[in-house]
Structure formats: structure tokens, C-alpha cells
Amino acid sequence: MPTHRAVQVASAGTPLTIAEVETTAPPPGHVRIAVAACGVCGTDHGVVNGSFPGLSWPVTPGHEIAGTIDELGDGVEEFAVGDRVAVGWFGGNCNTCPRCRQGRFIHCDRLQVPSLHYPGGYAESVIVPATAPARIPAGLSFVEAAPMGCAGVTTYNALRHTPAAAGDLVAVLGLGGLGHLGVQWARAMGFETVAIARGAAKAADARALGAHHYIDSTSQDVAAALQDLGGAVAVLATAANSAAIGRTVGGLAPEGELVVVGVSADPLPISPVELIGDGRRIRGHPSGTARDVEDTMRFAVRSGVRARVEERPLAEAAEAYDAMERGRARYRMVLTVP
């Protein structure tokens, strides 16, 4: 039986190790992908540490996958061997539940996520449902495509569904793995772009990424600074800090919208008074479907938006994960497979 290398975590909180696992044929309705690159996402922390219910150990992390289809399961007609594809947080849907029948595939009752519901992309090979892959356009490498399956689509898809139009003031809270993409998308979409982060030292990076304005949340009142600029039609909150998210609400224009993608379990410190008078709105945004990932990648090709990444070989997955954990990564880490 052929084998391939895969990173495994034996139980919650244990080290990432490399193992040899069987390379099996994809079942009906699935495809096997020869992995070329896989992003290291902050959400991988929850997988490695057992924060998600129902995990089956050992776990192979990774949900920012890019590679080439090398085998089709029975009944798969929409893809061919050799297709370049990416798979993100959206790792397959059932097409039969009430949400799928309404076309709300991201809310599928049986939504599958790589690493949570089947072995993820820290590996040389991965088998995924045929509803999961997104075709990678020409002009985008595997390393460039991998982060678009989660970080890219989450921020792009969130921004394109706000009420903001070209020329409107849009702010991005946080300048990390998600936020550095959010700032680039916002500029490329024609928004007057504001980056909000901690410390004056990040101002140069913010402007290099395309921000027209920078707000240092450690020395400025964020809401007042946004209002001085005219009020934000939309704020994309990528920072996983509920207190910081709450401080942006007062900076929204009338009928402005706060979109939250930064994950935190802490309650938002927001008063109804801040919302009612000016008709402000708050909503969460859950990544995007395979089609949304394709839209994201096509826009990346047209606009030149790319994740800033540091590449590490699969054999150094533990080191790459540690760099992400400790905040030493320069925006995104991407594992590569020869």
C-alpha cells in the first residue's frame, strides 16, 4: 500500500510530528489532491489544542490547501486529474439539508472542515469532497493560492458584502494575518481605507499595504478618529479582541456596519444606545464557499493583492506552527511540499 507523509497531533496539546500514513483511493463523490502548499492559520490552534468538539485523534491540521487533483472518486465529473485547486475552511457541503437547498452552502447542517471532519492539509496528500475544491486561476501560484482559501476569502467576501461603495470610508481593525489582506482588498475595491492597529511602528506597514490613514489605538480614541475622517461606512474587525472591536462602533457613520471576523469568546462591550439612534448594524461573517474562494482568487489576480507569507517545508511544520503561535510570523506561514 502506498504511503505519504502527514503531520499528526496525537492528542490535545501534544507536539506536531511527521508520520507515514496510507494513501488511499478517494471514495465516491470525493477527489484526492497532491498537496503543494498549505497555510498555517490561527484557527489551527483550536484544532491542535482540542478546542473543537468531536475531533478524532490523531489529527492532521490544515485548512488552507492548494495542490493538484491526482485521482477522482466515482461520480465526480466536474473536475479532472491535473486540475489546480484550493480548499479552505469550506471543506464540503451536503447539498441536501434545508440551508443547502436555500443556496446557503456555508451554513450547511453537515458542513465539513479540513482537519475537523477529515485529515487536513499539513500533508502530501488529502482527500476532500468534490464540493470543496476551488479552481486556481492562471497567474496564481500554489503558495499564493493557499491563504486565499481562508484568510483571503474571509476578508474579501466580508468586505464585498458591506454597504460600502467605492470612495466610502472603510476601516480594518487589526494588521495581522487577516487584517493585512483586508487593508489590501479595501484599497483595491476603491474604498478610502483606514488601518487600525496597536503602536506607531505599524503605520509604515499599513501605508505600504495601501491604507490612506492609520489610527494607533494605543494613543488615539478610535471612534473619535474615525468620526474626524467622516465616519466609517464599514469596519472590518479582524483582531480577536472584543474590547478593541467594541471601541470601533462609535466611529461608524449612520447606518454603518461592523463586520466581525476576528474570533473571540469574550462578549462585545457594546451598548444598544450606540446602535439605535444612528441605525448601526453588527454582523458576523463566516468565510466563504468554494465559489467565493474562486472569486477571491480571480480578484487577487486582477488587483495584485497577495498574502505576505513566509514559506517553510512540510518537515518544518512544527516550527512554522510555533512561529504563528508566538506571533513571530510575518503575516502568514505557508508549508510547501516538493
Side-chain angles (χ1 to χ4, degrees):
M1 177 69 69
T3 64
H4 65 272
R5 293 183 303 160
V7 174
Q8 291 188 339
V9 181
S11 59
T14 57
L16 281 66
T17 59
I18 300 286
E20 288 286 333
V21 300
E22 286 188 3
T23 305
T24 59
H30 289 67
V31 303
R32 190 176 67 216
I33 298 170
V35 178
C38 185
V40 179
C41 182
T43 313
D44 294 342
H45 170 88
V47 176
V48 171
N49 289 280
S51 300
F52 293 94
L55 286 171
S56 179
W57 305 96
V59 162
T60 296
H63 60 265
E64 290 187 341
I65 306 163
T68 304
I69 292 178
D70 66 359
E71 189 172 349
L72 306 176
D74 289 344
V76 177
E77 299 178 352
E78 58 269 39
F79 292 101
V81 171
D83 284 351
R84 301 169 69 244
V85 295
V87 178
W89 180 262
F90 180 86
N93 65 294
C94 72
N95 279 332
T96 60
C97 73
R99 259 56 61 186
C100 284
R101 295 180 69 185
Q102 293 168 338
R104 298 159 62 196
F105 305 119
I106 193 67
H107 301 296
C108 172
D109 288 345
R110 291 179 284 276
L111 180 71
Q112 297 184 68
V113 178
S115 74
L116 300 186
H117 299 98
Y118 53 81
Y122 289 18
E124 293 175 325
S125 180
V126 62
I127 292 175
V128 306
T131 53
R135 288 179 175 82
I136 300 173
L140 213 60
S141 72
F142 289 123
V143 168
E144 291 169 333
M148 295 298 168
C150 182
V153 70
T154 297
T155 47
Y156 171 78
N157 208 28
L159 284 167
R160 70 171 177 168
H161 287 106
T162 68
D168 286 341
L169 190 77
V170 170
V172 178
L173 173 67
L175 205 59
L178 293 174
H180 89 286
L181 280 164
V183 169
Q184 292 181 76
W185 297 130
R187 177 65 180 252
M189 291 176 182
F191 303 141
E192 184 179 352
T193 303
V194 185
I196 307 167
R198 294 177 57 83
K202 294 185 178 179
D205 269 5
R207 294 189 184 280
L209 290 165
H212 298 95
H213 312 281
Y214 180 72
I215 297 173
D216 174 6
S217 62
T218 65
S219 64
Q220 295 173 268
D221 181 312
V222 172
L226 287 173
Q227 289 298 342
D228 286 345
L229 292 169
V233 174
V235 171
L236 176 66
T238 71
N241 183 319
S242 293
I245 294 171
R247 287 192 286 271
T248 68
V249 174
L252 289 170
E255 299 186 0
E257 182 174 82
L258 167 63
V259 185
V260 181
V261 298
V263 179
S264 171
D266 298 327
L268 292 173
I270 295 169
S271 164
V273 172
E274 297 179 272
L275 304 177
I276 295 170
D278 282 328
R280 294 162 171 157
R281 298 181 295 275
I282 302 171
R283 67 177 177 89
H285 176 76
S287 189
T289 65
R291 174 55 188 267
D292 295 323
V293 176
E294 290 181 350
D295 290 348
T296 301
M297 292 190 291
R298 283 195 294 267
F299 190 74
V301 170
R302 291 194 298 270
S303 64
V305 172
R306 299 290 189 274
R308 303 315 198 242
V309 305
E310 179 182 340
E311 299 178 36
R312 293 284 189 94
L314 182 65
E316 296 179 16
E319 293 83 353
Y321 175 82
D322 185 66
M324 180 275 296
E325 279 277 85
R326 297 177 183 272
R328 296 200 304 264
R330 185 56 181 257
Y331 298 124
R332 306 296 290 184
M333 301 294 297
V334 175
L335 302 175
T336 58
V337 180

